[in-house]
Amino acid sequence: YSWESQQIDELWEDIYDAYKKGDEEYFLGSIILTKKEESKSLDIVDGQQRLTTLVILFCALRDLYYSKSPDEYKKKRILGRIKNSESNKERLNLRTQPQNQNVFQQDIINGIDFSRNLASKELDENKFLNAAFRFKDKINGLMNNHSEVESFTDYILEKVRIIAITF
């Protein structure tokens, strides 16, 4: 995962601006997937950065807002984007380098420890946590208005479009 703060901020701002303007939908782009005959999963050929960033955003929303929500339906909607509700398997596995999967699993999927006081050097070294903490600042900016968080989440889940091309 290689996205820097600028790319994370741009993604948030693009989606949030589309939401605030009332755009019918926001097109995030296309992703290219391939399936090996012996595998049940799909490999991402193009679009890894965007999908990884979205999963980090879903985890940040889960840990900052939805973990405290008494509404089980809303919790399940965001959790379902992180793990398959039937198999309980993560929807995104990073298989390029095993150490990246372990860091992603521990720091993001299993729960983001936002109480950590991380130096900028640590955030530079751990791009996953950098993205999570960037999203934390943005989500916290919405936290005074619970309906804003929920309607923005609805926009992301229902109006952000990705076209998947599978071969």
Side-chain angles (χ1 to χ4, degrees):
Y1 182 68
S2 63
W3 270 22
E4 301 290 338
S5 297
Q6 178 182 348
Q7 292 147 312
I8 295 158
D9 293 346
E10 285 173 5
L11 177 71
W12 173 277
E13 289 163 17
D14 288 348
I15 296 171
Y16 191 73
D17 288 348
Y19 158 74
K20 289 304 277 183
K21 288 189 299 187
D23 288 355
E24 193 61 34
E25 62 183 29
Y26 176 79
F27 180 61
L28 189 57
S30 59
I31 58 171
I32 299 174
L33 307 169
T34 185
K35 183 173 180 160
K36 295 178 183 166
E37 289 182 29
E38 68 279 356
S39 176
K40 291 182 180 181
S41 63
L42 297 168
D43 288 333
I44 304 167
V45 176
D46 183 44
Q48 303 96 323
Q49 302 300 309
R50 286 171 286 153
L51 288 177
T52 303
T53 305
L54 282 177
V55 170
I56 295 169
L57 173 57
F58 296 147
C59 290
L61 283 164
R62 172 198 64 198
D63 296 340
L64 291 168
Y65 184 79
Y66 288 96
S67 64
K68 301 170 185 119
S69 173
D71 187 330
E72 287 301 315
Y73 171 74
K74 290 178 182 175
K75 273 187 200 180
K76 286 180 182 176
R77 282 188 74 206
I78 201 75
L79 292 175
R81 298 319 195 270
I82 301 165
K83 289 188 175 190
N84 182 305
S85 59
E86 292 176 13
S87 68
N88 203 34
K89 290 188 177 186
E90 291 80 26
R91 292 197 179 274
L92 181 66
N93 287 313
L94 305 178
R95 290 187 273 159
T96 54
Q97 297 170 331
Q99 72 271 18
N100 285 344
Q101 177 60 34
N102 291 336
V103 170
F104 186 68
Q105 181 77 33
Q106 288 203 295
D107 289 346
I108 304 299
I109 298 294
N110 291 345
I112 304 165
D113 181 2
F114 284 116
S115 67
R116 291 170 67 177
N117 229 353
L118 298 173
S120 62
K121 183 178 190 250
E122 291 173 281
L123 292 173
D124 286 342
E125 291 171 0
N126 187 329
K127 304 271 188 227
F128 302 125
L129 282 177
N130 182 57
F133 277 80
R134 300 294 301 179
F135 286 135
K136 174 190 175 202
D137 292 342
K138 293 169 184 330
I139 293 165
N140 280 343
L142 304 177
M143 292 289 267
N144 291 336
N145 185 346
H146 292 289
S147 65
E148 178 86 357
V149 176
E150 292 180 13
S151 62
F152 182 55
T153 301
D154 288 342
Y155 187 85
I156 295 168
L157 297 177
E158 296 169 12
K159 305 292 183 178
V160 172
R161 303 283 184 242
I162 299 173
I163 293 176
I165 300 166
T166 307
F167 64 97

